[in-house]
Amino acid sequence: MNEALEQDINAFKSFNHFFTRELNPDVRPLATERNAIVSPADGVVSQAGNITEGKIFQAKGKSYTATDLLGGSLERAEPFNNGLFTTIIFHLKIITDCICL
């Protein structure tokens, strides 16, 4: 909670509001290095690799196509053919510094 803009746990209207809370602006600066990878959420890379023939090894050993993941649109999927993918599993941090009633 020390990274959150709102420090009072009771100020959050819902569970979703808590998990989408704003952080203090200087807590997690964006990387400025050339070719840096920046993630929008805390997580762990579970898979990374090539998109071959439109197929992406995505989750739990199941392959998905770029077309499937982009709502069935061949046009939207085409730029990703022969590209790269990364799957990031959301990492839930256990909160130990508050009492939730």
Side-chain angles (χ1 to χ4, degrees), residues 31-97:
T32 57
E33 295 83 6
R34 183 171 166 80
N35 296 323
I37 297 173
V38 179
S39 175
D42 292 333
V44 176
V45 174
S46 70
Q47 300 291 328
N50 297 314
I51 300 173
T52 306
E53 297 178 13
K55 292 187 179 172
I56 300 170
F57 180 78
Q58 188 69 10
K60 298 182 181 179
K62 182 170 177 158
S63 291
Y64 297 89
T65 67
T67 303
D68 290 337
L69 294 173
L70 294 168
S73 171
L74 291 171
E75 181 181 349
R76 289 173 63 197
E78 203 283 321
F80 298 98
N81 284 336
N82 301 314
L84 302 171
F85 76 91
T86 303
T87 302
I88 300 173
I89 303 296
F90 177 68
H91 179 70
L92 182 61
K93 184 176 180 180
I94 303 299
I95 300 170
T96 58
D97 60 347

